[in-house]
Structure formats: structure tokens, C-alpha cells
Amino acid sequence: MGSILSINGSRIGASKPSEVSQHETCKRQRFSSSFCDEDPRLIPSLPDEISLQILARLPRIHYLNVKLVSRAWKAAITSYELFNLRKELGTTEEWLYILTKVGDDKFSWYALDPLSRRWQRLPPMPSVIFENESRRGLAAIRMRNVLGSSIKIADVIRSWLGRKDPLDRMSFCGCSIGAVESCLYVLGGFSKALAMRNVWRYDPVQNAWSEASPMSIGRAYCKTGILNNKLYVVGGVTRGPGGLTPLQSAEVFDPHTGIWSEIPSMPFSKAQVLPTAFLADLLKPIATGMTSYRGRLFVPQSLYFWPFFVDVGGEVYDPEVNSWVEMPVGMGEGWPVRQAGTKLSVTVEGELYALDPSGSGGLDSPRIKVYDHHEDAWKVVVGDVPLPDFTDSESPYLLAGLHGKLHVITNDANHNIAVLQADVQNHFASIPSASASSSSSSSSSSLHEELAESTAESETDIWKIISIRSARSAELVSCQTLDV
């Protein structure tokens, strides 16, 4: 993106004293030295404060081109003052950010403006590669472009059993993604079989990546969640003397201070009550997801022994008391599984949604479920999700909450990235029995059946294609939303 001018920094090639005095009458209430060029104002004949009001109302998709007008305009467009003004005016825009992968080592970020339905490619992610530079085993760090993460966690499980190690064939994998305070974060992962502590931050204001404070321990395949404007990280795996080791530890990042703080580790209470020491040594506990819901963090968990895995419910972290409790039984047992080792969900307008890819009771179509915390049960709200066959896909679909609606991101039959919007909330509210409460099991079963029948009648009215982009066989890795 080229170099970015500092708003308060000095210019390259200082002006002569006589020239500086000529510009002393410039209006410098907001951007002092950056805007005092040949023409001191952003827009001739207008005060800079009015010009900033105009720029703050301009759709953000045009900012890349607007920066080319002049150095002063570039400084304004990349200033935090402008984006703070957008917040004050209520002109911020929520975009969808999608990470894709082609092959084993080509990763790309794309941003979608859902209003204009235009895509923008982000700068390549930085990465860290550790290289042995001497026989003494010293490691040097150097910057490289376009490395990322996403391999099947099943491959990692195989390595626990001494089988082929995917980390030997991939230079960097297993990083996790989070978004807090209008920035994207890429956390950890493996590089040359070494679990990294590194954290990278993408700032949409600067349209650039930078290194953030590292985690307290190197971890890959950790789970992330946002609560109270802080980024939480739990679990994952690290590389120990005996191979890959699952982690129970957890920590939280405050973007305002840039400091990581440890929180109590996950107890994995179900793993502590296995009947024999043999099973306790054989089965590996691992966090399979995390979501922020009703002011707490919910972490589903599993016990692994490749190719088998057993769901063991999960645990819930409450920041108010700084402790973990066991997840409600119905929530843990009914949480839909995307793949072995992955339980994907998203909270939209206070409701927790998940996609059941296989259905049940003889139904093959994927279904959207919502969690009812009153009854501790997952209920079907959309009975037929228009997804193609994704049996061989590493990451068949993603879920996102955008503009207050549920979105499903998938690869369509032509290998394009398709962003589908589901009007689940209005559809759910339109069902008369949806708001009815039940105190008996028979009434609850009847409610479930009525919901399923009602949703089947109007599936075509729920889904709307927001955008399609040529993917060229790219796999989906992760997605986040930012309101900037």
C-alpha cells in the first residue's frame, strides 16, 4: 500500500522558513503540518473541518482511490480522527472479511462491502519463519509474505499417534482468527513444527498489518472469542518433548493496553473422571469451539483418539467470577458438529445459531439450529440450507453475523465463494408457535414438529444471495466482521 504519512510527523524535505511563515494562517485545528502543502486545504474554499465531514460520509469502498488525490488526502483517509468522526456521525460500515487458502501455502484475505457488493483484497499477511543459521541451532526471524493456516485437525491428531506429521510439509498452519476493536487478529499457529506465540493485527484504517503483543505461550488451533471488548484465547495444542500436547490454559488480550493476562485454565472435568488410567492417557481433551453468549464464554469440548472422538459437553467461563462451570447438558450434547474437532456457531442479535451439516431422522439437508436457553435445547429454525456437497472440503462453510442477520459463506457448485443471507429472525417470529412456552415434554415435542413443518413451507423466502466471487478452487478458512 506504500508508505503512510504520519498526521503529526514532519514532511520529507522540510520547507524553507519563509514558506512556513506563509502557511501560518492555515487552519490547523485538526491536521496541522500534513495539510499545509501548496494548497493548504483539503478542498479549496472549504475549511478542513467541513472537508472531513464530507470524507466521513463517503462510502469506505472508495477510500483506496481517494487516497491517490494528494498526500494530504492520503493523510486524512488514514487518520484515526476521520474514523472517530465516522463513529460520531453514525456512518461506520460493517464489512465481512474472509480468509481463503489455495493449496498448502497461498492464503488471501478478502473484504466484502455488503451494500455495494464489491470485494477488496487485503495486503498479504506477514509471517514468521524460523531458520537455522548455524550448527549451534540459533534461529533467526525474518518477514515473509502470504503464509497462513488451515489443515484438518484430524491430521494433527494423527501426529499424536506417531503418524506422518503435517507440520513437516507445511511451513505455517493452525493459526486462529479474532476481531476486536475494529481490527483483525491472527494468532499463533505452527512454523517449522514450532508452536508460535506471535500475534498479527490488521488495521483497516491503515490497511496494513503490524505485530501485536505475543501470547504467553505458543499455541496452534486455539479457540477465540470476544467478550467485553477483549479477545479471549483458550486451548489449542503446542509442541512438547513428546510431540503435540493439548493445552487447557487460557488468556485474555486487552487491545487498549496491549497486555495479555492469564485466566484460570479449563478444568476439563469430564476428562478427569475417566474410568482407567489407560483411557486417561489415550484420550486427548481438546476445545472444539468457543462463542460469546449472554455475557459468558461457552467452550464445547471433546476427547480424541484418532479416528474416534467423543463429545463431552463443555465448560463455561464467567468473567464476573473468573471461573469455569460445566456447560448445560442439552447445550453440550446437542451442539452441531461441523467436522471432527470443530463446532462452529455465531451469535446474532443475542441468539446463538449453529449449522447442522447432516441433519437427523433421515434428513440429509443441512439445517440451521438456534439454542433455547430456557429449555436447554437446540431447535431447528431453517430446515433446508442451500449448500452443495462438501464431503471432501476442509472448511465447508463459515457462519457470520452481519447487519444483524445470519450469513452462511460457502463454496457453490462452481467453486465460487457465495455469501448467503438468511432472514432467520423474521422467519422465526412469523411462526405462531415459536414464541409459545411449554412446560411438558409432549408440548415441547409438538412445538419442535410445528417449527419444522412451518420452516419447510417457506424456505425459498429466507435465503438471499448477497455476493458471489470467483474462488478458483480456494478453500474457506475463517471469517470475521468489522464495523469501521
Side-chain angles (χ1 to χ4, degrees), residues 140-401:
I141 303 176
R142 93 183 168 192
M143 303 295 298
R144 289 284 179 86
N145 286 333
V146 196
L147 293 174
S149 68
S150 177
I151 61 173
K152 292 182 180 178
I153 198 168
D155 290 339
V156 176
I157 303 302
R158 288 192 186 99
S159 70
W160 285 346
L161 304 179
R163 302 184 184 181
K164 70 174 183 178
D165 194 340
L167 308 181
D168 292 335
R169 60 182 172 84
M170 296 184 69
S171 57
F172 187 60
C173 66
C175 67
S176 300
I177 311 298
V180 63
E181 289 295 304
S182 300
C183 287
L184 294 173
Y185 287 82
V186 178
L187 307 99
F190 285 109
S191 180
K192 299 298 182 183
L194 177 68
M196 298 191 299
R197 301 168 54 211
N198 300 74
V199 178
W200 296 99
R201 176 178 56 234
Y202 171 75
D203 185 348
V205 176
Q206 304 292 329
N207 191 33
W209 294 89
S210 62
E211 188 167 12
S213 302
M215 295 181 289
S216 63
I217 185 174
R219 61 178 83 221
Y221 295 105
C222 57
K223 305 305 177 183
T224 63
I226 308 300
L227 193 60
N228 301 327
N229 292 322
K230 294 182 179 180
L231 175 61
Y232 287 81
V233 175
V234 302
V237 296
T238 191
R239 171 76 75 173
L244 293 180
T245 303
L247 295 170
Q248 296 180 218
S249 62
E251 50 191 313
V252 57
F253 176 73
D254 187 338
H256 294 288
T257 63
I259 296 175
W260 286 92
S261 303
E262 293 185 1
I263 63 174
S265 297
M266 292 180 292
F268 272 113
S269 55
K270 293 290 182 67
Q272 309 302 324
V273 294
L274 291 173
T276 66
F278 172 75
L279 287 178
D281 182 64
L282 188 67
L283 297 175
K284 308 286 185 177
I286 190 170
T288 55
M290 180 160 69
T291 190
S292 175
Y293 176 60
R294 299 178 64 82
R296 297 187 295 173
L297 293 172
F298 291 75
V299 183
Q301 300 165 343
S302 294
L303 297 176
Y304 272 93
F305 178 71
W306 180 255
F308 306 104
F309 72 97
V310 180
D311 290 333
V312 290
E315 291 169 330
V316 183
Y317 175 74
D318 188 341
E320 294 294 329
V321 295
N322 192 33
S323 64
W324 295 86
V325 297
E326 191 169 328
M327 181 181 291
V329 176
M331 182 186 217
E333 292 182 352
W335 202 309
V337 179
R338 181 175 70 170
Q339 288 177 330
T342 306
K343 291 187 175 182
L344 191 64
S345 62
V346 64
T347 302
V348 183
E349 297 294 298
E351 298 290 348
L352 179 60
Y353 295 95
L355 191 151
D356 187 348
S358 59
S360 61
L363 298 176
D364 295 326
S365 299
R367 303 180 298 174
I368 297 292
K369 292 185 175 182
V370 65
Y371 177 69
D372 185 337
H373 68 276
H374 294 294
E375 299 185 16
D376 186 25
W378 290 89
K379 299 180 179 180
V380 176
V381 289
V382 179
D384 187 8
V385 182
L387 296 181
D389 181 21
F390 45 65
T391 306
D392 298 328
S393 177
E394 293 183 11
S395 184
Y397 63 87
L398 303 171
L399 300 178

Side-chain angles (χ1 to χ4, degrees), residues 116-127:
S116 68
R117 302 191 179 186
R118 293 172 59 184
W119 295 81
Q120 176 179 308
R121 185 167 183 168
L122 272 58
M125 283 197 302
S127 66

Side-chain angles (χ1 to χ4, degrees), residues 53-63 66 77 86 93:
Q53 293 274 341
I54 296 173
L55 291 177
R57 289 171 169 81
L58 190 68
R60 190 157 61 93
I61 193 68
H62 300 301
Y63 278 9
V66 169
I77 292 299
R86 288 172 64 89
E93 303 169 49

Side-chain angles (χ1 to χ4, degrees), residues 65-127:
N65 292 329
V66 169
K67 287 195 299 184
L68 303 177
V69 172
S70 68
R71 290 186 296 172
W73 278 51
K74 180 179 180 180
I77 292 299
T78 57
S79 71
Y80 293 101
E81 188 166 2
L82 176 66
F83 284 84
N84 288 334
L85 181 58
R86 288 172 64 89
K87 293 180 181 179
E88 294 175 9
L89 297 174
T91 57
T92 58
E93 303 169 49
E94 190 175 23
W95 285 15
L96 176 66
Y97 293 78
I98 301 175
L99 178 61
T100 65
K101 175 177 70 72
V102 177
D104 285 342
D105 60 357
K106 186 176 181 180
F107 293 78
S108 300
W109 277 100
Y110 295 95
L112 170 65
D113 173 9
L115 298 181
S116 68
R117 302 191 179 186
R118 293 172 59 184
W119 295 81
Q120 176 179 308
R121 185 167 183 168
L122 272 58
M125 283 197 302
S127 66

Side-chain angles (χ1 to χ4, degrees), residues 14-28 33 36-38 40:
S15 300
K16 296 180 181 179
S18 60
E19 296 175 356
V20 173
S21 61
Q22 292 175 1
H23 294 296
E24 287 178 352
T25 57
C26 285
K27 204 160 190 177
R28 301 182 178 183
S33 63
C36 293
D37 209 318
E38 290 78 5

